[in-house]
Amino acid sequence: MKFDVKDVGLAKEGKKLIEWAAKDMPVLRLIREQFKKEKTLKGVKLAACLHVTSETANLMITLKEGGADVYLTASNPLSTNDAVAASLVKDYDIPTFAIKGEDNKTYYNHLYSVLDTHPNQTMDDGADLVGLLHTKYKKQISEVIGSTEETTTGVIRLKAMEEKGDLKIPVVAVNDNLTKHLFDNRYGTGQSTVDALMRSTNKLIAGSTFVVCGYGWCGRGVAMRARGMGAQVIICEVDPVKALEAVMDGYLVMPLEKAITQADFVVSVTGGKHIVDEKHLKKAKNGVILAQAGHFDIEINKPALKNLAKKVRRVRPMVDEYDFGTKKIYLVGEGRLVNLAAADGHPASVMDMSFAGQSMAAKYIWEHAKELEPKVYSLPSSIDADIARLKLESKGIAIDSLTKDQKKYLNSWEEGT
Ligand code: ADE
């Protein structure tokens, strides 16, 4: 079996992490049992490009037990847990290509390794495999019946490809699931981003001025948790509706150029480019801590940061000091997805729902391939309802249901004042 991990000797530690995460993934466990019994994915050869974490390991095991042949590569050079990668290889026979801290060349060689297996389905977090299938691996695209996409950034790219007529395969946007973005993006990113800042800097959040760029679901989560820790939170937005919502949620809202003069922390979580740009860096307060929780390391203008600095040194694990001479700026996680670079990513309990969605999306593609066109699809809302129901059940929470009469009333227009 071909693989490339840091050290297979770390497998014992990785297996414990995988089993720990499994305890908080009851919905995925039910899917796993069903997939195993029915061999739902028999015949699928699936290349996955995801963050190699203990939660992802449980997804890979689920797909494999469902009969799929799975190959895993990292979706970010800094997000791999090396012990988990080792265990996937040693304990679960899943070919894994991922090393935390790998350089760009190795990162891409790992992507090529999974595509060289000639998959008939792919699974992305950031659309890298789909991107390659439309460029360097164009010849293989006819072998692929469809793909699934985990993240907002990936979905935005895929929709742009679809609009331009460039998308050649069907893709299920798992991020569109309500049971994904309302929970993973908000509660997952919220907790894990603040966790990463605390672990890496050990700075006190209480009493700090904490700027969040972007008030999408991820931004809301980060803002909510920073406020919960006692920070004064400022939101920077370009969308007037989202900005207004932030105002009514009780946050200060202002342009970043002003906010950065006061900020102790700046977290960019927009999916856009150079949100924290040269002009902002020049105005930043001495000692500000910068981080990014969007998918690609492009939200903070790193070349400008390097140019402005006279000296750069690592001052703590995952924290780099950019010394401008007149002031110092700190960048966490090399400006990459901070919650995975400097912490463990989202907790298993929330990834349970995201990866239940991924499993159902893989099944959906396998079972509906013939009807699907080269478009970006959302899963039927009944799948969301099933995932939410199972999650509630796993928490021992029962909910009400409508009577026949109430259903009739809601579906009619005759009854009124
Ligand atoms: N994205 C964010 N957190 C994650 C996790 N724990 N596992 C996989 N992908 C993630």
Side-chain angles (χ1 to χ4, degrees):
M1 181 175 100
K2 280 193 188 162
F3 62 87
D4 192 19
V5 298
K6 186 175 179 204
D7 176 6
V8 181
L10 299 169
K12 201 169 158 200
E13 185 195 329
K15 188 156 192 280
K16 283 193 236 166
L17 295 173
I18 295 169
E19 288 168 356
W20 175 259
K23 290 183 211 292
D24 279 336
M25 304 183 89
V27 181
L28 191 64
R29 183 163 58 244
L30 287 173
I31 291 173
R32 178 169 163 185
E33 282 160 13
Q34 196 191 4
F35 275 21
K36 190 173 173 184
K37 198 164 80 195
E38 296 171 3
K39 289 285 168 240
T40 311
L41 300 178
K42 192 162 171 31
V44 174
K45 189 171 196 181
L46 188 141
C49 178
L50 301 170
H51 301 298
V52 181
T53 64
S54 51
E55 294 78 23
T56 298
N58 279 289
L59 170 63
M60 293 297 107
I61 295 163
T62 301
L63 302 174
K64 187 172 177 193
E65 290 196 349
D69 224 355
V70 290
Y71 301 84
L72 176 64
T73 185
S75 59
N76 185 293
L78 281 187
S79 63
T80 298
N81 182 311
D82 289 319
V84 167
S87 178
L88 279 169
V89 168
K90 179 145 188 281
D91 302 311
Y92 300 97
D93 287 326
I94 294 178
T96 301
F97 302 84
I99 299 171
K100 185 167 177 115
E102 61 197 12
D103 59 21
N104 244 27
K105 187 162 168 247
T106 312
Y107 177 79
Y108 275 97
N109 282 338
H110 285 163
L111 293 174
Y112 304 155
S113 297
V114 298
L115 288 177
D116 286 342
T117 67
H118 289 261
N120 55 17
Q121 244 180 269
T122 59
M123 187 175 274
D124 259 323
D125 186 333
D128 276 350
L129 291 181
V130 167
L132 284 173
L133 284 168
H134 285 74
T135 51
K136 187 175 163 69
Y137 280 78
K138 240 198 294 215
K139 280 197 187 131
Q140 274 179 227
I141 200 146
S142 58
E143 300 169 15
V144 179
I145 59 164
S147 186
T148 64
E149 173 55 50
E150 171 79 3
T151 199
T152 321
T153 302
V155 173
I156 290 169
R157 287 196 158 189
L158 293 161
K159 286 191 175 156
M161 284 172 84
E162 181 187 353
E163 231 159 71
K164 285 189 186 155
D166 291 340
L167 187 66
K168 302 287 178 243
I169 53 171
V171 183
V172 173
V174 175
N175 189 66
D176 285 357
N177 290 3
L178 296 178
T179 49
K180 199 280 182 180
H181 67 260
L182 291 182
F183 300 90
D184 170 313
N185 299 23
R186 184 166 33 168
Y187 303 110
T189 309
Q191 176 168 321
S192 58
T193 299
V194 175
D195 174 22
L197 291 172
M198 286 161 57
R199 284 195 209 190
S200 57
T201 68
N202 197 27
K203 293 265 185 190
L204 188 67
I205 309 279
S208 69
T209 299
F210 196 111
V211 174
V212 180
C213 303
Y215 202 60
W217 290 110
C218 294
R220 287 164 212 224
V222 175
M224 190 198 299
R225 292 297 169 249
R227 176 152 75 181
M229 295 289 295
Q232 182 175 59
V233 178
I234 302 175
I235 305 294
C236 302
E237 243 307 336
V238 290
D239 178 328
V241 177
K242 287 183 182 159
L244 185 60
E245 202 180 349
V247 171
M248 302 234 177
D249 285 345
Y251 297 107
L252 288 170
V253 174
M254 62 182 80
L256 180 58
E257 243 179 301
K258 184 170 173 205
I260 205 157
T261 62
Q262 313 164 33
D264 298 304
F265 295 92
V266 178
V267 176
S268 184
V269 59
T270 67
K273 183 180 173 183
H274 292 178
I275 308 305
V276 184
D277 213 345
E278 188 172 337
K279 64 180 179 190
H280 305 114
L281 297 169
K282 284 182 174 161
K283 290 193 173 170
K285 196 170 99 174
N286 179 35
V288 66
I289 287 161
L290 302 182
Q292 192 216 267
H295 186 80
F296 290 115
D297 61 332
I298 193 152
E299 302 202 18
I300 297 168
N301 187 344
K302 289 200 282 184
L305 187 58
K306 265 187 209 134
N307 276 343
L308 289 168
K310 294 197 163 52
K311 213 168 72 190
V312 183
R313 62 180 184 130
R314 181 145 290 196
V315 286
R316 287 172 64 92
M318 284 295 149
V319 182
D320 294 322
E321 180 186 78
Y322 288 77
D323 189 345
F324 287 24
T326 48
K327 66 181 177 193
K328 289 172 176 143
I329 289 184
Y330 297 94
L331 182 66
V332 184
E334 298 175 17
R336 294 187 188 274
L337 202 96
V338 73
N339 57 337
L340 281 143
D344 292 326
H346 304 352
S349 177
V350 87
M351 293 312 296
D352 186 26
M353 292 189 282
S354 312
F355 286 164
Q358 278 287 4
S359 311
M360 297 315 286
K363 175 177 185 247
Y364 188 81
I365 288 174
W366 189 231
E367 291 175 352
H368 294 85
K370 290 212 174 81
E371 306 128 50
L372 298 178
E373 292 168 43
K375 283 187 186 161
V376 180
Y377 288 88
S378 301
L379 283 178
S381 58
S382 59
I383 291 182
D384 256 336
D386 288 343
I387 294 173
R389 197 171 297 118
L390 291 172
K391 192 69 177 173
L392 285 167
E393 271 172 32
S394 76
K395 291 176 170 293
I397 298 170
I399 59 170
D400 294 312
S401 52
L402 295 170
T403 63
K404 248 193 198 159
D405 193 40
Q406 286 172 320
K407 272 189 203 158
K408 191 172 157 230
Y409 172 77
L410 288 173
N411 290 321
S412 66
W413 56 270
E414 292 90 348
E415 265 186 72
T417 348

